[in-house]
């Protein structure tokens, strides 16, 4: 899929918080849709990398993800999310940290999609607030369930669309929405083509079948927002059909997932493009601030030179105080200038890494439907 990032960059800029370079990413989906498995599979491979574009987290969080990944590979069923949590990650290029993001997960059942207006629970309010502050929202649908019960999946997605519409009443910025057709391996297995190759025509057809009723023309309803549809599979070629015609996973050391990283990498690309756009503006501000401090230092140095030539200033209390004040100003300005020089140097290095990361992500390709 070719993406015209330049045309959408300006709509993304307003949602960037350059002060702390931390962004929220959230996923919506009904209980049992596969949010935890998707999150684990998606983050696992990015966490084990340490060169090029990679992510990192606290040791305890990484151990939890690695442990869950092993359980998935052994065919174990992961427990659903038991409580609201925000998992923090850094996105790096080699050893340079580019930005941070929070992966926001919430307890199953917190969102009652059938009765949004009357939901006054503290957990629901927290989810609602997180949604409004997220740079990207992933909506995941269960491809396996859709094959068994289309109407039920359509009801669930319609309720999620109502929830998003309700949120967008209070949202003062565009939304980057990614519709994920989860458990896409179910479609491949049903077609008896899965173990050979992915038939993109069939996946495209199912993307329309699953999401078009609830999300068609989303970008027309909300100007400057993005809405892409991406089929994914956490299990990939390790999936098989059990006797009850449901998907199970064979024991394996590594899942052969399908497009599992695409939603997150696409979001990273948008963030990095926005950061790249902002860096020259920050450089200009730093240059202005540095020049201003250097001028103040020169002015204070000139005054100190003249006041030092007057013997009276070394005798009188006011003269000595004035000289001490000028020395203090010069010292403070020198420290500030050194700080700004170091910031400029660090920003130049960061800019180089941002450009390298963007080039890396520009080479990534995935199958899906853009501007759904």
């Amino acid at each position: 899929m070719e993406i015209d990032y330049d045309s959408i960059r300006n709509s993304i800029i307003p949602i960037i918080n350059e002060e702390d370079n931390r962004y929220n990413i959230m996923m919506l989906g009904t209980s049992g849709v596969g949010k935890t498995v998707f999150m684990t599979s998606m983050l696992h491979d990015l966490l084990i990398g340490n060169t090029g574009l990679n992510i990192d987290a606290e040791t305890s969080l990484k151990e939890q993800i690695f442990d869950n990944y092993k359980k998935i590979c052994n065919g174990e069923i992961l427990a659903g999310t038991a409580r609201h949590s925000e998992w923090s990650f850094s996105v790096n290029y080699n050893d340079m940290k580019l930005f941070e993001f929070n992966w926001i997960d919430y307890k199953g059942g917190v969102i009652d999609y059938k009765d949004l207006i009357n939901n006054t629970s503290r957990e629901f309010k927290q989810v609602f607030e997180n949604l409004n502050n997220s740079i990207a929202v992933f909506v995941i649908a269960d491809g396996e369930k859709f094959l068994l019960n289309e109407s039920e999946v359509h009801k669930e997605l319609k309720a999620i669309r109502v929830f998003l519409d309700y949120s967008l009443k209070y949202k003062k910025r565009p939304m980057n929405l990614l519709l994920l057709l989860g458990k896409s391996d179910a479609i491949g297995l049903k077609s008896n083509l899965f173990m050979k190759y992915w038939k993109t025509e069939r996946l495209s057809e199912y993307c329309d079948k699953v999401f078009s009723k609830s999300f068609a023309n989303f970008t027309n309803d909300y100007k400057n927002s993005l809405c892409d549809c991406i089929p994914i599979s956490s299990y990939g070629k390790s999936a098989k059909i059990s006797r009850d015609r449901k998907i199970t996973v064979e024991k394996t050391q590594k899942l052969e997932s399908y497009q599992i990283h695409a939603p997150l990498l696409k979001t990273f690309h948008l963030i990095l493009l926005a950061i790249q756009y902002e860096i020259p503006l920050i450089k200009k501000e730093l240059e202005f601030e540095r020049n201003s401090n250097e001028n103040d230092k020169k002015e204070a140095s000139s005054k100190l030179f003249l006041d030092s030539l007057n013997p009276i200033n070394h005798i009188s209390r006011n003269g000595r105080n004035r000289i001490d004040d000028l020395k203090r100003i010069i010292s403070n300005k020198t420290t500030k200038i050194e700080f700004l020089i170091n910031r400029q140097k660090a920003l130049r290095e960061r800019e180089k890494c941002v450009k390298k990361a963007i080039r890396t992500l520009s080479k990534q390709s995935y199958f899906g439907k853009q501007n759904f």
Side-chain angles (χ1 to χ4, degrees), residues 198-299:
W198 288 93
K199 192 171 184 179
T200 54
E201 294 84 357
R202 178 60 61 87
L203 289 176
S204 179
E205 175 187 333
Y206 271 91
C207 285
D208 284 329
K209 282 185 177 180
V210 174
F211 291 107
S212 61
K213 283 190 176 182
S214 299
F215 292 94
N217 300 319
F218 181 86
T219 52
N220 291 334
D221 295 339
Y222 299 103
K223 301 298 182 183
N224 295 325
S225 289
L226 307 176
C227 181
D228 292 353
C229 182
I230 305 173
I232 60 170
S233 169
S234 300
Y235 296 146
K237 292 183 179 180
S238 59
K240 63 179 181 179
I241 298 180
S242 61
R243 291 182 179 180
D244 58 359
R245 307 303 296 170
K246 292 186 178 179
I247 288 180
T248 60
V249 59
E250 295 177 318
K251 289 185 178 181
T252 178
Q253 291 185 343
K254 179 176 175 59
L255 301 175
E256 296 293 336
S257 57
Y258 176 66
Q259 300 200 140
I260 202 70
H261 305 122
L264 195 58
L265 293 181
K266 181 179 186 300
T267 302
F268 289 173
H269 200 169
L270 292 173
I271 292 173
L272 289 168
L273 285 168
I275 292 175
Q276 184 184 41
Y277 179 87
E278 291 288 306
I279 284 178
L281 303 179
I282 300 171
K283 289 169 70 174
K284 186 178 293 186
E285 291 175 0
L286 289 175
E287 186 67 25
F288 176 83
E289 188 176 359
R290 178 182 168 183
N291 290 336
S292 177
N293 278 274
E294 287 178 342
N295 290 333
D296 290 343
K297 179 183 176 181
K298 288 179 181 179
E299 183 179 348

